[in-house]
Amino acid sequence: KQTARLLIKCPDKRGIVSAVTQFLHKNEANIIESNQYTTDPQDGRFFMRIEFESPHLPEAEATFREGFQPIAEQFDMSWDLTGAYDIKKTAIFVSKELHCLRELLLEWQSGDVITDIKLVVSNHEDCRELVESFNLPFYHIPANKNIRKQVEEQQLSLLEEYDIDLIVLARYMQILTPEFVAEQPFKIINIHHSFLPAFIGANPHKRAYERGVKLIGATSHYVTNDLDEGPIIEQDIMRVDHRDNVDDLKKMGRSIERSVLARAVKWHLEDRLIVHKNKTIVFK
Amino acid sequence: KQTARLLIKCPDKRGIVSAVTQFLHKNEANIIESNQYTTDPQDGRFFMRIEFESPHLPEAEATFREGFQPIAEQFDMSWDLTGAYDIKKTAIFVSKELHCLRELLLEWQSGDVITDIKLVVSNHEDCRELVESFNLPFYHIPANKNIRKQVEEQQLSLLEEYDIDLIVLARYMQILTPEFVAEQPFKIINIHHSFLPAFIGANPHKRAYERGVKLIGATSHYVTNDLDEGPIIEQDIMRVDHRDNVDDLKKMGRSIERSVLARAVKWHLEDRLIVHKNKTIVFK
Amino acid sequence: KQTARLLIKCPDKRGIVSAVTQFLHKNEANIIESNQYTTDPQDGRFFMRIEFESPHLPEAEATFREGFQPIAEQFDMSWDLTGAYDIKKTAIFVSKELHCLRELLLEWQSGDVITDIKLVVSNHEDCRELVESFNLPFYHIPANKNIRKQVEEQQLSLLEEYDIDLIVLARYMQILTPEFVAEQPFKIINIHHSFLPAFIGANPHKRAYERGVKLIGATSHYVTNDLDEGPIIEQDIMRVDHRDNVDDLKKMGRSIERSVLARAVKWHLEDRLIVHKNKTIVFK
Amino acid sequence: KQTARLLIKCPDKRGIVSAVTQFLHKNEANIIESNQYTTDPQDGRFFMRIEFESPHLPEAEATFREGFQPIAEQFDMSWDLTGAYDIKKTAIFVSKELHCLRELLLEWQSGDVITDIKLVVSNHEDCRELVESFNLPFYHIPANKNIRKQVEEQQLSLLEEYDIDLIVLARYMQILTPEFVAEQPFKIINIHHSFLPAFIGANPHKRAYERGVKLIGATSHYVTNDLDEGPIIEQDIMRVDHRDNVDDLKKMGRSIERSVLARAVKWHLEDRLIVHKNKTIVFK
């Protein structure tokens, strides 16, 4: 499709939308969807996502970029242009629990998530059969605390080899080093099995059971070096009651986790997410 | 506040957003919130709502309107400009069930719904005490099928006297004549006690019970001459089970009805609703 | 596991629970879960589901049944006893849309749905690869209005061959004859892609789009000879808005359909459903 | 009504349900609703709530109690019998935010919550007019940290004077002393304006905003001496997004708080709550 998305961040000032839309108009682009948000009409920060069609895309993308540069400079913008025709390349990391991986594979197969899944990496063999039944490359890289460095070197070399745009931690139970994370800023999406910040850390379902909460949840977030503290992308919950034991909570949790992660991944792939001060702006 | 809302409908063409935002920019307006929707990028219909601040409002409203006229003509727009400073005047019609009226009165009293409630009209005396405890004028106009014309004449004269912008049927159990409705196009909001189009018509809870549905709902819509067929503004549902009898459904229904109606009324008052072909566009 | 479920229907009278639980007590059964419901404490109809463990099961099942017979007669019960050790045998019927089939296969594979999927039947070839990747028998039986009788003969012979307990219509787009339905009373579960009774019949998403509803849903029900009118087992909804076109509604619908159907199937398999007067009692 | 509720806690053993229901049967009671729960079929703890009708109530309540005593002893039960005819007496404590108080007053007035509201106590004058418009006694008792003891003495004397069964903290922003709490074990229900245990303590909406969560919630719990750590009765959430500032979260929070608190209060008044190890069993 001849569709692209323009993402903009800059200080809020009068005239931004006017300048941007005039530029698109001159370039014969037709706006399909437009979203904007300002943290504060007085001296706030401005964010915009415009999805547009143009008969000149993708050929004229470079010309387009060049032409937009002066406007970007005038308003002090950081900006990005991504074509819907440039399908993003994804790697999925997983351990032993396969429900999130399965969901992503099915959504991908049915065309509900548009990406190019390049490989699946796991520290266990459990998902090999599933992955290979989808004709995808599977890499088994055993991992533990002590060999973290070597493991990540292998992983990074695969990410480079496949030119990966997005890493999805689909219940990957290993902690990544700051070095690894630093190489992929806001390119790693994790699913945490609690309604963060409640039950941050390990064993959230056990702790939820012990506290006697009446709702359990899941949280998808970008990975940063503060464990479970990265910008939240999506959350959802399910109602539980006194009859549900820890295993029931885990089972119900799986259902929330897979749908929450799938939504977060979809939004990332459609360039609907902007990170600002450890929060996400989601232009749905 | 020096805030206004510009609402636009027109055939979709390149350059609309550009022209509108350039105009606002020249008039030193600052866009706070902007929403747009097009039914189809090719020859579709375009809809837009822009909320903006301007230091010249409300004084310069007339100048503003005059200046915008040429753009409106160029793009064949139907459009409207409403100031947040022009508080809308509301009349509430109610019969014997008071839960929706109560919700509106409380939301109004707490400042969560911004309007000027001018009067409450009922065909029964049940709500007099409640209405008067809020120091609002109450009009008891008994009604039935046979005296519909006289009743509506009295009502219309009150609407005129108080210069009413919005009529809320907060469980008003009388059918309005086409003449009455025709005088208030898309100015009458009703709450229907079912998830329309399921159980359209009378006794929805009884019929929901008999059908054994597992969810019941409520629907707020603009009133047109097709009973229960007007443009839907908002709907919501609640889970029920085999243990709930007709009275339980009614009780649970009340809770959905009041919140659904309150949301619809709030969106109308904030000029977030555009009607197009018996549907609503809701710019939340 | 040494667990069984006792399901009871009878006229409501004093003493039923007392008699039943006394019997279980004498037989050294331990009640794990017990649910009851009466349509009316005065002359209503009484329903009960008791899940219990017994060290003598499954060996003593016949003795148990014999012992319970006098109580059943005393209270004029229709009743059933099913062991959790008797895994139910399921057939899945599907046409071209595979999302519900996929969900069931994954839930089955992960052990979240306990059944023995014996075969998948389709009037198309689309799901063959998927089914065979799970090592399940796939039967392609082309179907249309004119050959309905022959088609159903083939299907019935397969159902008999595999001794099937439950038929799941996982988006099977053919109408079954009254003869076929009559042979499987309350053993066929269908998923309908609307919030019944709204948009009963064909093309619900198109009609939902045209009506401008703000929520779409799905309904799982037992199949009877009144098309889309059988006892509703489960329903759920999702919020939509003016931006969602018919295809978006279908896509979102798929997500509701698969979870609603999976829940209904699970409840049936756990003997949590009792049909009474075209409604279901769901003992969750 | 000639209805009563029997609440039972005891070690799980075979024969409890049988003994209890036989007793009720002999006493010509008709079971309307029965719920049970066991923490573990092996050596767990057993909980039961039976709602029943009897033509001999309320007159024969004492005889009933006496007759049940041997069964209670046999199974080592702690138990309680409460008649629906003994309407519970409630005191509401409130500070400056009135939305929860308003909800309770309206639900009470419409008969959706069955209790006898005896008085409203506040450390501010804001709600006087509202309370007195419902013809209820209002007590203004100014409060602060330094005079906590005197304040609570006044309050306790009022609770005694009115023979109060339930204290609802409907956004009462003062901390109660351990002495006060100790006098009302599991008789004080609070509403906390977050999804506990997330944002435990002060300013939850500000902290939710800063963390960038996508859902906010509210929690109703029994008050114990561990601040915000008492047994959770009910929780609910609402979806928020990046556009919602702290004030928006507070506004949306009010809507969740009032419905969550109203449900918790209703369940307490209907004797549907049993506390066990800092958790609640809710027999809905």
Side-chain angles (χ1 to χ4, degrees):
Chain A
K1 283 186 196 170
Q2 299 175 306
T3 297
R5 298 136 194 174
L6 183 62
L7 290 167
I8 293 165
K9 293 195 210 187
C10 63
D12 197 7
K13 264 201 234 177
R14 281 199 204 117
I16 303 169
V17 183
S18 168
V20 172
T21 54
Q22 227 179 316
F23 170 81
L24 288 172
H25 179 46
K26 277 187 199 146
N27 283 270
E28 297 177 65
N30 196 22
I31 298 173
I32 297 169
E33 192 181 332
S34 170
N35 291 281
Q36 62 182 83
Y37 166 66
T38 182
T39 54
D40 193 330
Q42 313 300 342
D43 299 318
R45 199 136 181 92
F46 177 85
F47 304 88
M48 190 171 204
R49 177 189 188 271
I50 297 188
E51 188 160 338
F52 62 93
E53 275 181 357
S54 158
H56 311 305
L57 285 176
E59 298 73 18
E61 201 188 295
T63 324
F64 188 101
R65 284 176 184 280
E66 211 176 308
F68 192 69
Q69 197 51 45
I71 295 172
E73 277 162 21
Q74 181 192 344
F75 290 99
D76 199 14
M77 293 175 177
S78 55
W79 66 286
D80 204 359
L81 181 79
T82 56
Y85 39 82
D86 282 329
I87 306 291
K88 288 190 178 57
K89 292 181 278 296
T90 298
I92 303 177
F93 284 32
V94 65
S95 291
K96 280 168 156 283
E97 294 214 64
L98 308 188
H99 55 287
C100 287
L101 172 64
R102 273 192 201 111
E103 179 82 11
L104 291 171
L105 291 175
L106 292 184
E107 291 268 304
W108 166 73
Q109 195 184 49
S110 68
D112 287 339
V113 163
I114 311 288
T115 186
D116 194 352
I117 299 181
K118 285 293 187 186
L119 73 163
V120 175
V121 173
S122 180
N123 50 337
H124 296 281
E125 282 282 356
D126 304 63
C127 66
R128 179 185 290 277
E129 200 184 356
L130 176 67
V131 173
E132 293 181 348
S133 80
F134 282 84
N135 295 315
L136 291 171
F138 172 73
Y139 293 86
H140 178 216
I141 308 180
N144 65 55
K145 276 187 209 172
N146 307 318
I147 56 166
R148 199 162 276 166
K149 220 177 165 67
Q150 301 96 292
V151 168
E152 291 194 349
E153 270 165 24
Q154 285 182 66
Q155 292 169 341
L156 283 168
S157 124
L158 284 169
L159 298 177
E160 201 177 346
E161 180 188 336
Y162 285 102
D163 192 19
I164 292 304
D165 296 301
L166 172 67
I167 302 157
V168 182
L169 307 184
R171 305 287 281 133
Y172 182 65
M173 307 308 281
Q174 296 289 314
I175 291 171
L176 304 173
T177 67
E179 292 72 34
F180 187 96
V181 173
E183 294 220 13
Q184 331 283 336
F186 303 123
K187 288 190 168 177
I188 313 176
I189 293 179
N190 185 43
I191 180 73
H192 190 272
H193 44 322
S194 91
F195 177 81
L196 290 174
F199 310 118
I200 195 169
N203 295 322
H205 292 122
K206 185 162 176 292
R207 288 150 65 211
Y209 173 76
E210 279 159 7
R211 181 60 187 94
V213 291
K214 300 300 184 186
L215 305 169
I216 59 161
T219 303
S220 186
H221 61 94
Y222 282 118
V223 173
T224 61
N225 284 319
D226 296 309
L227 194 65
D228 300 345
E229 297 273 17
I232 292 171
I233 302 169
E234 174 63 336
Q235 305 189 288
D236 212 342
I237 57 97
M238 202 173 262
R239 199 160 275 278
V240 299
D241 71 28
H242 59 268
R243 294 171 299 182
D244 300 306
N245 61 28
V246 179
D247 280 340
D248 295 327
L249 299 192
K250 283 182 183 167
K251 202 181 236 184
M252 298 166 88
R254 289 203 286 267
S255 170
I256 319 172
E257 289 157 31
R258 58 185 190 152
S259 64
V260 164
L261 180 61
R263 284 204 292 276
V265 166
K266 203 178 293 186
W267 294 338
H268 178 96
L269 293 169
E270 294 175 0
D271 301 304
R272 296 187 175 280
L273 301 173
I274 300 180
V275 175
H276 174 60
K277 285 189 175 175
N278 210 43
K279 296 202 230 179
T280 58
I281 291 150
V282 184
F283 284 136
K284 278 183 269 202
Chain B
K1 283 184 193 170
Q2 299 174 307
T3 297
R5 298 137 192 172
L6 183 61
L7 290 168
I8 292 166
K9 292 194 208 186
C10 62
D12 197 6
K13 265 202 231 177
R14 279 197 205 118
I16 303 169
V17 183
S18 168
V20 171
T21 55
Q22 227 180 317
F23 169 82
L24 289 171
H25 180 46
K26 275 187 200 145
N27 283 271
E28 297 177 64
N30 197 22
I31 297 173
I32 297 170
E33 192 181 332
S34 170
N35 291 281
Q36 60 181 85
Y37 166 66
T38 181
T39 54
D40 193 331
Q42 312 301 341
D43 299 319
R45 197 133 184 95
F46 177 85
F47 303 88
M48 189 170 206
R49 178 189 187 272
I50 297 187
E51 188 160 338
F52 63 93
E53 275 182 357
S54 158
H56 310 305
L57 285 176
E59 298 73 18
E61 202 188 293
T63 324
F64 187 101
R65 285 177 183 278
E66 211 176 308
F68 192 68
Q69 196 52 42
I71 296 171
E73 277 162 22
Q74 182 191 344
F75 289 99
D76 199 14
M77 293 174 176
S78 57
W79 66 286
D80 204 0
L81 180 79
T82 56
Y85 38 83
D86 281 330
I87 306 291
K88 288 190 178 56
K89 292 179 278 296
T90 298
I92 303 176
F93 283 31
V94 65
S95 293
K96 281 168 155 283
E97 294 213 66
L98 308 188
H99 55 287
C100 288
L101 172 64
R102 273 193 200 110
E103 180 81 11
L104 292 171
L105 291 174
L106 292 184
E107 291 269 304
W108 166 73
Q109 194 183 50
S110 68
D112 287 340
V113 164
I114 310 288
T115 186
D116 195 353
I117 300 181
K118 284 293 188 187
L119 75 162
V120 175
V121 172
S122 180
N123 51 337
H124 296 280
E125 281 282 357
D126 303 62
C127 66
R128 178 186 291 276
E129 200 184 356
L130 175 67
V131 173
E132 292 181 349
S133 81
F134 282 83
N135 294 314
L136 290 171
F138 171 73
Y139 292 87
H140 177 216
I141 309 182
N144 66 56
K145 277 188 209 172
N146 307 319
I147 55 166
R148 199 162 277 166
K149 220 178 165 69
Q150 299 95 293
V151 167
E152 290 194 350
E153 269 164 25
Q154 284 183 67
Q155 291 170 341
L156 284 168
S157 125
L158 284 169
L159 297 177
E160 202 177 345
E161 180 188 337
Y162 285 104
D163 192 19
I164 291 304
D165 297 302
L166 172 67
I167 301 158
V168 182
L169 306 185
R171 305 287 281 130
Y172 181 64
M173 306 308 281
Q174 296 289 315
I175 292 171
L176 304 174
T177 66
E179 292 72 34
F180 187 97
V181 173
E183 294 220 13
Q184 330 284 336
F186 304 123
K187 287 191 167 177
I188 312 177
I189 293 179
N190 185 41
I191 179 74
H192 189 272
H193 44 323
S194 91
F195 177 81
L196 289 175
F199 311 118
I200 194 169
N203 295 321
H205 292 121
K206 186 161 176 290
R207 287 152 64 211
Y209 174 76
E210 279 159 8
R211 181 63 187 93
V213 292
K214 299 301 184 185
L215 306 168
I216 58 161
T219 303
S220 187
H221 62 94
Y222 282 118
V223 174
T224 61
N225 284 319
D226 296 309
L227 193 66
D228 298 347
E229 297 273 16
I232 292 172
I233 301 170
E234 173 64 336
Q235 304 188 289
D236 212 344
I237 57 96
M238 202 172 262
R239 200 160 274 279
V240 298
D241 71 26
H242 60 269
R243 294 171 298 181
D244 300 307
N245 60 29
V246 178
D247 280 340
D248 294 328
L249 299 192
K250 283 182 184 169
K251 203 181 232 183
M252 297 166 89
R254 290 203 284 269
S255 171
I256 320 171
E257 289 156 33
R258 59 188 190 150
S259 64
V260 164
L261 180 62
R263 285 205 290 278
V265 166
K266 204 179 291 186
W267 293 339
H268 178 96
L269 293 170
E270 294 175 1
D271 301 303
R272 295 186 175 279
L273 301 172
I274 301 181
V275 175
H276 174 59
K277 284 187 176 178
N278 210 42
K279 297 202 231 179
T280 58
I281 292 151
V282 185
F283 285 135
K284 280 184 266 205
Chain C
K1 284 184 194 172
Q2 300 175 305
T3 297
R5 299 138 194 170
L6 183 62
L7 289 167
I8 292 165
K9 293 194 209 185
C10 62
D12 198 6
K13 265 201 233 175
R14 281 200 203 117
I16 304 169
V17 183
S18 167
V20 172
T21 55
Q22 228 180 316
F23 170 81
L24 289 172
H25 179 46
K26 277 187 200 149
N27 283 271
E28 296 177 67
N30 196 21
I31 298 174
I32 297 170
E33 193 182 331
S34 170
N35 291 281
Q36 61 182 84
Y37 166 66
T38 181
T39 54
D40 192 330
Q42 312 301 344
D43 299 318
R45 197 133 184 95
F46 177 85
F47 303 89
M48 190 171 205
R49 176 189 188 271
I50 295 188
E51 188 161 338
F52 62 92
E53 276 182 357
S54 159
H56 310 305
L57 285 177
E59 298 72 19
E61 201 188 294
T63 324
F64 187 101
R65 284 177 183 279
E66 210 175 310
F68 191 68
Q69 196 52 43
I71 295 172
E73 277 161 23
Q74 180 192 345
F75 290 99
D76 198 15
M77 293 176 177
S78 55
W79 66 286
D80 204 1
L81 180 80
T82 57
Y85 38 83
D86 281 329
I87 307 291
K88 288 190 178 58
K89 293 181 276 297
T90 298
I92 304 177
F93 284 32
V94 66
S95 292
K96 281 167 154 282
E97 293 213 65
L98 308 187
H99 54 286
C100 287
L101 172 63
R102 274 193 199 110
E103 181 80 12
L104 291 171
L105 291 174
L106 293 184
E107 291 268 305
W108 167 72
Q109 195 183 50
S110 68
D112 287 339
V113 163
I114 311 289
T115 185
D116 195 353
I117 300 182
K118 284 292 187 188
L119 75 160
V120 175
V121 172
S122 180
N123 51 338
H124 295 281
E125 280 283 357
D126 304 63
C127 66
R128 178 185 290 276
E129 199 184 356
L130 175 67
V131 173
E132 293 181 347
S133 80
F134 281 84
N135 294 316
L136 291 172
F138 171 73
Y139 292 87
H140 177 215
I141 308 181
N144 65 54
K145 277 188 209 172
N146 306 318
I147 55 166
R148 200 161 277 166
K149 222 180 164 68
Q150 299 96 293
V151 168
E152 291 193 348
E153 271 165 22
Q154 284 183 66
Q155 292 169 341
L156 284 168
S157 123
L158 285 169
L159 297 177
E160 202 177 346
E161 179 187 338
Y162 286 102
D163 192 17
I164 292 304
D165 297 302
L166 171 67
I167 302 159
V168 182
L169 306 185
R171 305 287 281 132
Y172 181 64
M173 307 308 281
Q174 297 288 314
I175 291 171
L176 304 173
T177 66
E179 292 72 33
F180 187 97
V181 173
E183 295 220 12
Q184 330 283 335
F186 304 122
K187 287 191 169 176
I188 313 176
I189 293 180
N190 185 43
I191 179 73
H192 190 271
H193 44 323
S194 91
F195 176 81
L196 289 176
F199 310 119
I200 194 169
N203 295 320
H205 292 123
K206 186 162 174 293
R207 288 150 65 208
Y209 174 76
E210 280 159 8
R211 181 61 187 95
V213 291
K214 300 300 183 185
L215 306 168
I216 59 162
T219 303
S220 187
H221 62 94
Y222 281 117
V223 174
T224 61
N225 284 320
D226 296 309
L227 193 66
D228 300 346
E229 298 272 17
I232 292 172
I233 302 170
E234 173 64 336
Q235 305 189 286
D236 212 344
I237 57 98
M238 201 172 264
R239 199 160 275 277
V240 299
D241 71 27
H242 59 269
R243 295 171 299 182
D244 300 307
N245 60 30
V246 178
D247 280 341
D248 295 328
L249 299 192
K250 284 182 183 167
K251 201 181 235 183
M252 298 164 89
R254 289 202 285 268
S255 171
I256 318 170
E257 289 156 32
R258 59 186 189 148
S259 64
V260 164
L261 180 61
R263 284 204 291 277
V265 166
K266 203 178 295 185
W267 294 338
H268 178 96
L269 293 169
E270 294 174 2
D271 301 305
R272 296 187 176 280
L273 301 173
I274 300 181
V275 175
H276 175 59
K277 284 189 176 175
N278 210 44
K279 298 202 231 181
T280 58
I281 291 152
V282 185
F283 285 134
K284 279 184 265 201
Chain D
K1 283 186 197 171
Q2 298 175 307
T3 297
R5 300 137 193 171
L6 182 63
L7 289 167
I8 293 165
K9 294 194 210 186
C10 63
D12 197 6
K13 265 202 232 175
R14 283 199 202 116
I16 303 169
V17 183
S18 167
V20 172
T21 54
Q22 226 180 316
F23 171 81
L24 288 172
H25 179 46
K26 276 187 202 151
N27 283 270
E28 295 177 66
N30 197 22
I31 297 174
I32 298 171
E33 194 182 330
S34 170
N35 291 280
Q36 62 181 83
Y37 166 67
T38 180
T39 55
D40 193 330
Q42 312 300 345
D43 299 319
R45 199 136 181 91
F46 177 85
F47 303 88
M48 190 171 205
R49 177 189 187 272
I50 296 187
E51 189 160 337
F52 62 93
E53 276 182 356
S54 159
H56 311 305
L57 286 176
E59 297 72 20
E61 201 189 295
T63 324
F64 187 101
R65 286 177 183 277
E66 211 175 309
F68 191 68
Q69 196 53 43
I71 297 173
E73 276 162 24
Q74 180 192 345
F75 290 99
D76 198 14
M77 294 176 177
S78 56
W79 65 286
D80 204 0
L81 179 80
T82 57
Y85 39 83
D86 280 330
I87 307 291
K88 288 190 177 57
K89 292 180 277 299
T90 298
I92 304 176
F93 283 31
V94 66
S95 290
K96 281 168 155 283
E97 294 213 65
L98 309 188
H99 53 288
C100 288
L101 172 63
R102 274 193 200 109
E103 180 81 10
L104 292 171
L105 291 175
L106 292 184
E107 291 267 304
W108 166 72
Q109 195 184 48
S110 68
D112 287 338
V113 164
I114 310 287
T115 185
D116 195 354
I117 300 181
K118 284 293 189 188
L119 75 162
V120 176
V121 172
S122 180
N123 51 337
H124 296 282
E125 282 282 356
D126 303 64
C127 67
R128 177 186 291 276
E129 200 184 356
L130 175 66
V131 173
E132 293 182 347
S133 80
F134 281 82
N135 295 315
L136 291 170
F138 171 73
Y139 292 86
H140 178 215
I141 308 181
N144 65 55
K145 277 187 208 173
N146 306 318
I147 55 166
R148 198 161 278 167
K149 221 178 166 69
Q150 300 95 294
V151 167
E152 291 193 349
E153 271 165 24
Q154 285 182 66
Q155 292 170 341
L156 284 168
S157 125
L158 284 168
L159 297 177
E160 201 176 346
E161 180 188 338
Y162 286 102
D163 192 19
I164 292 303
D165 297 301
L166 171 67
I167 301 158
V168 182
L169 306 185
R171 305 288 279 132
Y172 181 64
M173 307 307 281
Q174 298 288 314
I175 292 170
L176 304 173
T177 67
E179 292 72 32
F180 187 96
V181 172
E183 294 221 11
Q184 331 283 335
F186 304 122
K187 287 191 170 177
I188 313 176
I189 293 180
N190 185 41
I191 179 75
H192 190 271
H193 43 323
S194 91
F195 175 83
L196 290 175
F199 310 119
I200 193 169
N203 295 321
H205 292 123
K206 186 162 176 294
R207 288 152 64 210
Y209 174 77
E210 279 159 9
R211 181 61 188 93
V213 291
K214 301 299 184 186
L215 305 168
I216 58 163
T219 303
S220 188
H221 62 94
Y222 281 117
V223 174
T224 60
N225 284 320
D226 296 309
L227 194 64
D228 300 346
E229 298 272 16
I232 293 172
I233 302 170
E234 173 63 337
Q235 305 189 287
D236 211 343
I237 57 97
M238 201 173 264
R239 199 159 275 279
V240 299
D241 71 27
H242 59 268
R243 295 171 299 182
D244 299 307
N245 61 29
V246 179
D247 280 340
D248 295 327
L249 299 191
K250 284 183 183 167
K251 202 182 235 183
M252 297 165 88
R254 289 202 285 268
S255 170
I256 318 170
E257 289 156 32
R258 59 187 189 148
S259 64
V260 164
L261 180 61
R263 284 204 290 277
V265 166
K266 204 178 294 187
W267 293 338
H268 178 95
L269 293 169
E270 295 174 1
D271 301 304
R272 296 187 174 279
L273 302 172
I274 299 181
V275 175
H276 174 60
K277 283 189 176 177
N278 210 43
K279 296 202 232 180
T280 58
I281 292 151
V282 185
F283 285 135
K284 279 185 269 204

